[in-house]
Amino acid sequence: VFRPGDPAVLLDLLAHPLLACGMPRPVARQSAAFAELVLLRGRPARPDIASIAADFDLRLAGLREAKYSPVWLERIGDADATKIRSLLGVMEDAVAPLAAIRDSGESSLGEVLAGLVRAMETLATDEAGSFLSVYEGDAGEKFASLLRALIASRHQIACRPGEVPDVLDALIAPEVVKPTVSGDGRIAIWGVLEARLQTADMLVIGGLNEGSWPRKAESGRFMSRVLTGGMGLEPPERRTGQAAHDFQMAMGAAKVVLARAARADGSPSTRSRWLQRLLTLAGETAATEMSARGRRYLALASAIDETGELPRLEQPCPAPPLSARPRRFSVTEIETLRRDPYAVYAKRILKLEPLDPLSRDPGAAERGSLFHEILHRFAASAKDPGSAEAYEKLVEIATGCFAELRLPDDIQAVWWPRFIAMAPRLLEWDIEQSHNVARTFSEISAHRTDIGATGVTLSGRADRIDLLNSGERAEILDFKTGGTPSKGQAHTLLAPQMALEGALLSLGSFGDLGPLEPADLKFVRLDSKGAVTPESILSYNHRERSAADLADEAWSRLEKLIAFYEIETNGYRSRALPLREHAMDGDYDHLARALEWSSGDDGGPE
């Protein structure tokens, strides 16, 4: 409330186990999870909790109207949206008193605490109307005790709204919550003072290494031994003597286990002087008997640590039934199916989507989409790139696209000058490109086309198709703002998207265009310095191929690939043909546990 716009803090609140807002806990949890996706994931978002319901409606409407919506959006139905609004409405009401304090001037700590208590109790109220979960357990009891002490204090602190979080942090920081019961009620871990005052059936004296018990006698860093003695302060040996008394008293327990670490910091350690003298005094026979009795505890400790040799994890290759396998693909997914079939399995069959980073800034993907949209609208305007008004029209379209994207100021300050520098070169390239072009089709989709006799279909979208003056041939253009895929990958069909678009063009899949022969397949690279570089994929490494031949081979390979996955025993192997051997940054590499079964080394411990 007092520092609005921090997405990490709001995420903590939405994920808090006590958040209920009067709903059943499962309903509140699901609603909070959906609210997180809408409000905090993806594009920069700085929602204010005091107006969070309105922010949710605005963001949800924007996502539903977007050209490309996230996959998870379809899971949020109207009933779910109503529950989310109810949850966020309760959150707004809960923090209303705190928001009023924020909008006012200086307030007393008592007013802040009253608003804080009301907010917490409202947020934690369950479906039965109880908010006692806030004060349950060791932490809850300690919190209630702190609140009572602060409210009862006669000295009320006055603070400005921006100072409230720091004041509360300072008041809470000294408080320590000590659990009343350890993991097992029969076990307690004591310090030397607690052990001196209590008895136990069995006492374990741990850390009997020289330097640990007793600790080394060290003089103060700021006063010499002579100065310390002259001031009447205790000498360092006083602590050693007290520790010796503690050790002697602990040895009086009914059953005692003496334990030490054989190695410390990777090196052999030395027994405590007391342990050495005890064993010397007891004699070799007694010392041997003591060690024999201790082996039982060593064996129990070793059994806890013993894991045995772990089997090597095999490269995952799940083989789901044919009925669960995808029947539709886009041209952009075929490279993934070749390189990392497991990613297709995780996304299309398991329906798993990687979460967008928390409130991330726009990056390369958004820049590419922005430039594609500008070029699409300019092509759709049918403005002659050689006309006097072409530059103004292009800048006007770009201004509208930038405004719609609502980029952060720092991103806008970098991307806009780059586009302005690129605009004249775009027009120069377009003028040269249009010499033999009868008509241009931008962002044109190919309908689903059967892949052989497999029953699986392929569809796609071409950035631009230029119909040549002959009327029977066309060029396919793909605008790229990055360096991937490379020309070599496209030519050798490791990245078959362009060649497959050529095959779809030959089959007449692009709407009213009908069957056309692909004349050329080009990348048009738009780099960050403003250069516009057309790059045909037909020529590579002194080898020339026609667009039709490349398209035919890509389609033939696609039929074999799809037929392979139509055999139920053939699975979706992880990292079948990785782009880089040691790169484990794929969306699903962690799910496939690639670092564990691959030969790659992550640079960490084995």
Side-chain angles (χ1 to χ4, degrees):
V1 172
F2 293 99
R3 290 176 184 169
D6 188 340
V9 175
L10 184 56
L11 178 62
D12 285 342
L13 177 59
L14 289 171
H16 200 283
L18 294 185
L19 183 69
C21 295
M23 300 178 172
R25 175 58 189 159
V27 175
R29 181 69 194 96
Q30 185 184 50
S31 299
F34 282 150
E36 171 197 331
L37 291 173
V38 174
L39 289 166
L40 302 178
R41 296 292 176 176
R43 291 290 311 283
R46 302 288 187 268
D48 183 353
I49 193 173
S51 58
I52 195 171
D55 288 341
F56 170 80
D57 286 333
L58 184 65
R59 180 95 172 180
L60 182 63
L63 287 171
R64 287 178 171 170
E65 295 171 1
K67 187 175 182 180
Y68 300 107
S69 299
V71 175
W72 49 259
L73 188 63
E74 62 187 25
R75 303 176 189 169
I76 304 179
D78 293 339
D80 297 311
T82 300
K83 294 174 184 176
I84 297 169
R85 292 188 188 96
S86 176
L87 176 83
L88 300 180
V90 174
M91 292 175 66
E92 281 190 16
D93 293 341
V95 302
L98 294 175
I101 294 173
R102 178 187 69 185
D103 298 334
S104 65
E106 194 173 76
S107 302
S108 68
L109 182 62
E111 294 174 327
V112 173
L113 290 174
L116 177 64
V117 169
R118 174 185 166 181
M120 295 184 66
E121 291 179 351
T122 302
L123 294 171
T125 299
D126 57 24
E127 56 183 320
S130 174
F131 52 77
L132 296 180
S133 56
V134 174
Y135 307 112
E136 289 178 348
D138 299 319
E141 292 176 4
K142 187 71 174 180
F143 180 60
S145 175
L146 173 64
L147 288 176
R148 284 193 291 268
L150 292 175
I151 293 175
S153 174
R154 297 180 181 179
H155 305 286
Q156 287 296 324
I157 303 173
C159 52
R160 298 185 183 90
E163 300 171 340
V164 169
D166 292 331
V167 171
L168 292 176
D169 282 344
L171 292 172
I172 292 173
E175 302 297 327
V176 178
V177 179
K178 292 185 177 180
T180 54
V181 180
S182 60
D184 190 307
R186 297 167 295 175
I187 300 174
I189 299 176
W190 293 338
V192 290
L193 177 60
E194 295 169 304
R196 189 188 312 155
L197 301 176
Q198 300 178 82
T199 59
D201 297 333
M202 175 188 286
L203 199 63
V204 179
I205 305 177
L208 285 174
N209 293 348
E210 188 64 16
S212 296
W213 198 357
R215 293 178 58 186
K216 293 180 180 179
E218 297 178 350
S219 301
R221 298 182 179 180
F222 304 105
M223 291 189 295
S224 66
R225 181 181 293 270
V226 175
L227 185 58
T228 302
M231 296 180 64
L233 299 178
E234 294 180 346
E237 289 79 10
R238 172 71 175 77
R239 295 181 181 177
T240 303
Q242 181 62 57
H245 281 284
D246 292 333
F247 177 76
Q248 181 185 6
M249 293 178 67
M251 287 296 295
K255 188 180 290 187
V256 181
V257 176
L258 305 177
R260 59 177 289 265
R263 301 179 69 85
D265 297 327
S267 302
S269 61
T270 305
R271 292 174 178 172
S272 167
R273 69 189 71 172
W274 297 333
L275 182 56
Q276 294 184 48
R277 292 171 185 173
L278 179 64
L279 296 175
T280 301
L281 177 64
E284 185 177 349
T285 302
T288 302
E289 293 175 353
M290 291 168 61
S291 297
R293 290 194 294 271
R295 289 194 191 100
R296 173 173 178 264
Y297 301 104
L298 285 174
L300 292 172
S302 297
I304 294 174
D305 296 333
E306 184 66 34
T307 58
E309 184 177 352
L310 294 176
R312 180 175 175 81
L313 188 67
E314 294 183 358
Q315 185 176 7
C317 187
L322 293 180
S323 59
R325 302 190 181 200
R327 313 305 298 169
R328 302 193 303 268
F329 287 97
S330 67
V331 291
T332 57
E333 291 177 306
I334 301 304
E335 181 179 358
T336 305
L337 186 62
R338 287 199 62 199
R339 290 192 179 278
D340 190 8
Y342 186 88
V344 174
Y345 164 78
K347 181 178 181 179
R348 299 289 301 279
I349 299 176
L350 297 185
K351 308 295 184 185
L352 298 177
E353 286 280 347
L355 271 181
D356 284 333
L358 185 63
S359 192
R360 68 173 176 84
D361 286 330
E366 285 77 14
R367 185 165 65 92
S369 299
L370 172 62
F371 284 17
H372 276 75
E373 184 65 20
I374 294 171
L375 294 175
H376 166 59
R377 294 187 186 182
F378 181 74
S381 70
K383 178 66 68 175
D384 181 3
S387 66
E389 303 83 12
Y391 179 80
E392 287 76 10
K393 183 64 176 180
L394 181 60
V395 173
E396 177 188 341
I397 291 172
T399 302
C401 291
F402 270 83
E404 291 173 12
L405 201 56
R406 290 180 294 180
L407 294 169
D409 292 341
D410 56 335
I411 305 292
Q412 176 93 7
V414 175
W415 289 7
W416 178 252
R418 287 181 178 177
F419 179 80
I420 292 299
M422 183 187 296
R425 299 171 188 175
L426 276 170
L427 293 175
E428 291 173 5
W429 164 81
D430 207 355
I431 292 171
E432 184 177 350
Q433 173 69 19
S434 62
H435 286 327
N436 298 320
V437 174
R439 190 176 176 188
T440 292
F441 300 87
S442 178
E443 294 289 334
I444 182 170
S445 296
H447 59 72
R448 294 175 188 170
T449 304
D450 290 333
I451 303 173
T454 61
V456 179
T457 61
L458 182 73
S459 60
R461 176 187 293 268
D463 290 348
R464 176 166 156 174
I465 296 179
D466 284 352
L467 181 63
L468 302 184
N469 290 328
S470 64
E472 298 177 355
R473 306 176 75 211
E475 292 184 354
I476 299 179
L477 308 177
D478 192 355
F479 297 103
K480 295 293 183 185
T481 54
T484 55
S486 68
K487 177 180 178 179
Q489 291 167 348
H491 181 86
T492 57
L493 299 181
L494 286 174
Q497 177 180 345
M498 283 287 286
L500 288 174
E501 289 177 3
L504 290 173
L505 181 66
S506 300
L507 294 170
S509 301
F510 283 100
D512 297 334
L513 283 177
L516 293 172
E517 179 185 348
D520 204 349
L521 307 173
K522 291 181 182 178
F523 290 137
V524 181
R525 299 201 182 272
L526 316 174
D527 69 20
S528 58
K529 296 180 181 179
V532 179
T533 309
E535 185 179 68
S536 173
I537 70 169
L538 302 183
S539 174
Y540 175 71
N541 200 18
H542 307 294
R543 184 185 178 190
E544 296 279 349
R545 301 192 63 179
S546 70
D549 287 345
L550 204 60
D552 289 343
E553 183 178 346
W555 192 262
S556 176
R557 289 190 184 188
L558 176 63
E559 289 184 350
K560 294 177 182 178
L561 182 67
I562 297 301
F564 175 83
Y565 288 105
E566 287 298 289
I567 301 173
E568 193 164 282
T569 55
N570 292 335
Y572 293 81
R573 185 175 299 278
S574 173
R575 294 174 58 82
L577 189 65
L579 184 62
R580 296 179 300 277
E581 181 181 359
H582 297 292
M584 302 290 176
D585 55 356
D587 288 335
Y588 302 98
D589 284 345
H590 65 295
L591 183 67
R593 297 166 68 178
L595 273 175
E596 297 184 45
W597 55 259
S598 68
S599 58
D601 182 10
D602 64 346
E606 188 172 270

CSV table of all heavy atoms in Angstrom, one decimal, residues 391-423:
chain,number,residue,atom,x,y,z
A,391,TYR,N,7.1,8.1,-46.9
A,391,TYR,CA,7.9,8.1,-45.7
A,391,TYR,C,7.0,8.6,-44.5
A,391,TYR,O,6.9,8.1,-43.4
A,391,TYR,CB,9.1,9.1,-45.8
A,391,TYR,CG,9.9,9.2,-44.5
A,391,TYR,CD1,10.8,8.3,-44.1
A,391,TYR,CD2,9.7,10.3,-43.7
A,391,TYR,CE1,11.5,8.4,-43.0
A,391,TYR,CE2,10.4,10.5,-42.5
A,391,TYR,CZ,11.3,9.5,-42.1
A,391,TYR,OH,12.0,9.6,-41.0
A,392,GLU,N,6.2,9.7,-44.8
A,392,GLU,CA,5.3,10.2,-43.8
A,392,GLU,C,4.2,9.1,-43.4
A,392,GLU,O,3.9,9.0,-42.2
A,392,GLU,CB,4.5,11.5,-44.3
A,392,GLU,CG,5.4,12.7,-44.4
A,392,GLU,CD,6.3,12.7,-45.6
A,392,GLU,OE1,6.2,11.8,-46.4
A,392,GLU,OE2,7.2,13.6,-45.6
A,393,LYS,N,3.7,8.4,-44.4
A,393,LYS,CA,2.8,7.3,-44.1
A,393,LYS,C,3.4,6.2,-43.2
A,393,LYS,O,2.8,5.8,-42.2
A,393,LYS,CB,2.2,6.7,-45.4
A,393,LYS,CG,1.1,5.7,-45.2
A,393,LYS,CD,-0.1,6.3,-44.6
A,393,LYS,CE,-1.2,5.3,-44.5
A,393,LYS,NZ,-2.4,5.8,-43.9
A,394,LEU,N,4.6,5.8,-43.5
A,394,LEU,CA,5.3,4.8,-42.7
A,394,LEU,C,5.5,5.3,-41.3
A,394,LEU,O,5.3,4.5,-40.3
A,394,LEU,CB,6.6,4.4,-43.4
A,394,LEU,CG,7.5,3.4,-42.7
A,394,LEU,CD1,6.7,2.1,-42.6
A,394,LEU,CD2,8.8,3.1,-43.5
A,395,VAL,N,5.9,6.5,-41.1
A,395,VAL,CA,6.2,7.1,-39.8
A,395,VAL,C,4.9,7.2,-39.0
A,395,VAL,O,4.8,6.9,-37.8
A,395,VAL,CB,6.9,8.4,-39.9
A,395,VAL,CG1,7.0,9.1,-38.5
A,395,VAL,CG2,8.3,8.2,-40.4
A,396,GLU,N,3.8,7.6,-39.7
A,396,GLU,CA,2.5,7.7,-39.1
A,396,GLU,C,2.0,6.3,-38.6
A,396,GLU,O,1.5,6.2,-37.4
A,396,GLU,CB,1.5,8.3,-40.1
A,396,GLU,CG,0.0,8.4,-39.6
A,396,GLU,CD,-1.0,8.7,-40.7
A,396,GLU,OE1,-0.5,9.2,-41.7
A,396,GLU,OE2,-2.2,8.4,-40.5
A,397,ILE,N,2.2,5.3,-39.4
A,397,ILE,CA,1.8,4.0,-39.0
A,397,ILE,C,2.6,3.5,-37.8
A,397,ILE,O,2.1,2.9,-36.8
A,397,ILE,CB,1.9,3.0,-40.2
A,397,ILE,CG1,0.8,3.3,-41.2
A,397,ILE,CG2,1.8,1.5,-39.7
A,397,ILE,CD1,1.0,2.5,-42.5
A,398,ALA,N,3.9,3.8,-37.9
A,398,ALA,CA,4.8,3.4,-36.8
A,398,ALA,C,4.5,4.1,-35.5
A,398,ALA,O,4.5,3.5,-34.4
A,398,ALA,CB,6.3,3.7,-37.2
A,399,THR,N,4.1,5.4,-35.6
A,399,THR,CA,3.7,6.1,-34.4
A,399,THR,C,2.5,5.5,-33.7
A,399,THR,O,2.4,5.4,-32.5
A,399,THR,CB,3.4,7.6,-34.8
A,399,THR,OG1,4.6,8.2,-35.4
A,399,THR,CG2,3.0,8.4,-33.5
A,400,GLY,N,1.5,5.1,-34.5
A,400,GLY,CA,0.3,4.5,-34.0
A,400,GLY,C,0.7,3.1,-33.3
A,400,GLY,O,0.1,2.8,-32.2
A,401,CYS,N,1.5,2.3,-34.0
A,401,CYS,CA,1.9,1.0,-33.4
A,401,CYS,C,2.6,1.2,-32.1
A,401,CYS,O,2.4,0.4,-31.1
A,401,CYS,CB,2.7,0.2,-34.4
A,401,CYS,SG,1.7,-0.3,-35.9
A,402,PHE,N,3.6,2.1,-32.1
A,402,PHE,CA,4.3,2.3,-30.8
A,402,PHE,C,3.4,2.8,-29.7
A,402,PHE,O,3.5,2.4,-28.5
A,402,PHE,CB,5.4,3.4,-31.1
A,402,PHE,CG,6.7,2.8,-31.5
A,402,PHE,CD1,7.0,2.5,-32.8
A,402,PHE,CD2,7.7,2.6,-30.6
A,402,PHE,CE1,8.2,2.0,-33.3
A,402,PHE,CE2,9.0,2.1,-31.0
A,402,PHE,CZ,9.2,1.8,-32.3
A,403,ALA,N,2.4,3.7,-30.0
A,403,ALA,CA,1.5,4.2,-29.0
A,403,ALA,C,0.6,3.0,-28.5
A,403,ALA,O,0.4,3.0,-27.3
A,403,ALA,CB,0.6,5.3,-29.6
A,404,GLU,N,0.2,2.1,-29.4
A,404,GLU,CA,-0.6,1.0,-28.9
A,404,GLU,C,0.1,0.1,-28.0
A,404,GLU,O,-0.4,-0.5,-27.0
A,404,GLU,CB,-1.1,0.2,-30.1
A,404,GLU,CG,-2.2,0.9,-31.0
A,404,GLU,CD,-2.5,0.2,-32.2
A,404,GLU,OE1,-2.1,-1.0,-32.3
A,404,GLU,OE2,-3.1,0.8,-33.1
A,405,LEU,N,1.4,-0.1,-28.2
A,405,LEU,CA,2.2,-1.0,-27.4
A,405,LEU,C,2.5,-0.4,-26.0
A,405,LEU,O,2.8,-1.2,-25.1
A,405,LEU,CB,3.5,-1.3,-28.1
A,405,LEU,CG,4.3,-2.6,-27.7
A,405,LEU,CD1,3.3,-3.8,-27.8
A,405,LEU,CD2,5.5,-2.8,-28.6
A,406,ARG,N,2.5,0.9,-25.9
A,406,ARG,CA,2.7,1.6,-24.6
A,406,ARG,C,4.0,1.1,-24.0
A,406,ARG,O,4.0,0.6,-22.9
A,406,ARG,CB,1.5,1.4,-23.7
A,406,ARG,CG,0.3,2.2,-24.1
A,406,ARG,CD,-0.9,2.0,-23.2
A,406,ARG,NE,-1.4,0.6,-23.2
A,406,ARG,CZ,-2.4,0.2,-22.4
A,406,ARG,NH1,-3.0,1.0,-21.6
A,406,ARG,NH2,-2.8,-1.1,-22.5
A,407,LEU,N,5.1,1.3,-24.7
A,407,LEU,CA,6.4,0.9,-24.2
A,407,LEU,C,6.8,1.7,-23.0
A,407,LEU,O,6.5,2.9,-22.9
A,407,LEU,CB,7.4,1.0,-25.3
A,407,LEU,CG,7.2,0.0,-26.5
A,407,LEU,CD1,8.2,0.5,-27.6
A,407,LEU,CD2,7.5,-1.4,-26.1
A,408,PRO,N,7.6,1.1,-22.1
A,408,PRO,CA,8.3,2.0,-21.1
A,408,PRO,C,9.2,3.0,-21.7
A,408,PRO,O,9.7,2.9,-22.8
A,408,PRO,CB,9.1,1.0,-20.3
A,408,PRO,CG,8.5,-0.4,-20.5
A,408,PRO,CD,7.9,-0.3,-21.9
A,409,ASP,N,9.3,4.1,-21.0
A,409,ASP,CA,10.0,5.3,-21.6
A,409,ASP,C,11.4,4.9,-22.1
A,409,ASP,O,11.9,5.4,-23.1
A,409,ASP,CB,10.1,6.4,-20.6
A,409,ASP,CG,8.7,7.0,-20.4
A,409,ASP,OD1,7.8,6.8,-21.3
A,409,ASP,OD2,8.5,7.7,-19.4
A,410,ASP,N,12.1,4.1,-21.2
A,410,ASP,CA,13.5,3.8,-21.6
A,410,ASP,C,13.6,2.9,-22.8
A,410,ASP,O,14.5,3.0,-23.6
A,410,ASP,CB,14.2,3.1,-20.4
A,410,ASP,CG,13.5,1.9,-19.9
A,410,ASP,OD1,12.3,1.8,-20.1
A,410,ASP,OD2,14.1,1.0,-19.3
A,411,ILE,N,12.6,2.0,-23.0
A,411,ILE,CA,12.6,1.1,-24.2
A,411,ILE,C,12.2,2.0,-25.4
A,411,ILE,O,12.8,1.8,-26.5
A,411,ILE,CB,11.6,0.0,-24.0
A,411,ILE,CG1,11.9,-0.8,-22.7
A,411,ILE,CG2,11.6,-0.9,-25.2
A,411,ILE,CD1,13.2,-1.6,-22.8
A,412,GLN,N,11.2,2.8,-25.3
A,412,GLN,CA,10.8,3.7,-26.4
A,412,GLN,C,12.0,4.6,-26.8
A,412,GLN,O,12.1,4.8,-28.0
A,412,GLN,CB,9.7,4.6,-25.9
A,412,GLN,CG,9.2,5.7,-26.9
A,412,GLN,CD,8.0,5.2,-27.7
A,412,GLN,OE1,7.5,4.1,-27.5
A,412,GLN,NE2,7.7,5.9,-28.7
A,413,ALA,N,12.8,5.1,-25.9
A,413,ALA,CA,13.9,5.9,-26.2
A,413,ALA,C,15.0,5.2,-27.1
A,413,ALA,O,15.8,5.9,-27.8
A,413,ALA,CB,14.5,6.5,-25.0
A,414,VAL,N,15.0,3.9,-27.0
A,414,VAL,CA,16.0,3.1,-27.8
A,414,VAL,C,15.4,2.7,-29.1
A,414,VAL,O,16.0,2.8,-30.2
A,414,VAL,CB,16.5,1.9,-27.0
A,414,VAL,CG1,17.4,1.1,-27.9
A,414,VAL,CG2,17.2,2.4,-25.8
A,415,TRP,N,14.1,2.1,-29.1
A,415,TRP,CA,13.5,1.5,-30.3
A,415,TRP,C,13.1,2.5,-31.3
A,415,TRP,O,13.2,2.3,-32.5
A,415,TRP,CB,12.3,0.6,-29.8
A,415,TRP,CG,12.7,-0.6,-29.1
A,415,TRP,CD1,14.0,-1.0,-28.7
A,415,TRP,CD2,11.9,-1.7,-28.7
A,415,TRP,NE1,14.0,-2.2,-28.1
A,415,TRP,CE2,12.7,-2.6,-28.1
A,415,TRP,CE3,10.5,-1.9,-28.9
A,415,TRP,CZ2,12.1,-3.8,-27.6
A,415,TRP,CZ3,10.0,-3.1,-28.4
A,415,TRP,CH2,10.8,-4.0,-27.7
A,416,TRP,N,12.6,3.7,-30.9
A,416,TRP,CA,12.0,4.6,-31.8
A,416,TRP,C,13.1,5.2,-32.7
A,416,TRP,O,13.0,5.2,-33.9
A,416,TRP,CB,11.3,5.7,-31.1
A,416,TRP,CG,10.7,6.8,-32.0
A,416,TRP,CD1,11.2,8.0,-32.2
A,416,TRP,CD2,9.7,6.6,-33.0
A,416,TRP,NE1,10.4,8.7,-33.2
A,416,TRP,CE2,9.5,7.8,-33.7
A,416,TRP,CE3,8.8,5.5,-33.3
A,416,TRP,CZ2,8.6,8.0,-34.7
A,416,TRP,CZ3,7.9,5.7,-34.3
A,416,TRP,CH2,7.7,6.9,-35.0
A,417,PRO,N,14.3,5.7,-32.2
A,417,PRO,CA,15.3,6.2,-33.1
A,417,PRO,C,15.8,5.1,-34.0
A,417,PRO,O,16.2,5.4,-35.2
A,417,PRO,CB,16.4,6.6,-32.1
A,417,PRO,CG,15.7,6.9,-30.8
A,417,PRO,CD,14.6,5.9,-30.7
A,418,ARG,N,15.9,3.9,-33.5
A,418,ARG,CA,16.3,2.8,-34.4
A,418,ARG,C,15.4,2.6,-35.6
A,418,ARG,O,15.8,2.4,-36.7
A,418,ARG,CB,16.4,1.5,-33.7
A,418,ARG,CG,17.6,1.4,-32.7
A,418,ARG,CD,17.7,0.1,-32.0
A,418,ARG,NE,18.9,0.0,-31.2
A,418,ARG,CZ,19.1,-1.1,-30.4
A,418,ARG,NH1,18.3,-2.1,-30.4
A,418,ARG,NH2,20.2,-1.1,-29.6
A,419,PHE,N,14.1,2.7,-35.3
A,419,PHE,CA,13.1,2.6,-36.4
A,419,PHE,C,13.2,3.8,-37.4
A,419,PHE,O,13.2,3.6,-38.6
A,419,PHE,CB,11.7,2.4,-35.9
A,419,PHE,CG,10.7,2.3,-37.0
A,419,PHE,CD1,10.5,1.1,-37.7
A,419,PHE,CD2,10.0,3.4,-37.5
A,419,PHE,CE1,9.7,1.0,-38.7
A,419,PHE,CE2,9.1,3.3,-38.6
A,419,PHE,CZ,8.9,2.1,-39.2
A,420,ILE,N,13.3,5.0,-36.8
A,420,ILE,CA,13.4,6.2,-37.7
A,420,ILE,C,14.7,6.1,-38.6
A,420,ILE,O,14.6,6.5,-39.8
A,420,ILE,CB,13.5,7.4,-36.8
A,420,ILE,CG1,12.1,7.6,-36.1
A,420,ILE,CG2,13.8,8.6,-37.7
A,420,ILE,CD1,11.0,7.8,-37.1
A,421,ALA,N,15.8,5.5,-38.1
A,421,ALA,CA,17.0,5.3,-38.9
A,421,ALA,C,16.7,4.3,-40.0
A,421,ALA,O,17.3,4.3,-41.0
A,421,ALA,CB,18.1,5.0,-38.0
A,422,MET,N,15.9,3.3,-39.7
A,422,MET,CA,15.6,2.2,-40.6
A,422,MET,C,14.6,2.6,-41.7
A,422,MET,O,14.6,2.0,-42.8
A,422,MET,CB,15.2,1.0,-39.8
A,422,MET,CG,15.0,-0.3,-40.6
A,422,MET,SD,14.2,-1.6,-39.6
A,422,MET,CE,15.5,-1.8,-38.4
A,423,ALA,N,13.7,3.5,-41.4
A,423,ALA,CA,12.6,3.8,-42.3
A,423,ALA,C,13.0,4.1,-43.7
A,423,ALA,O,12.4,3.5,-44.6
A,423,ALA,CB,11.7,4.9,-41.7
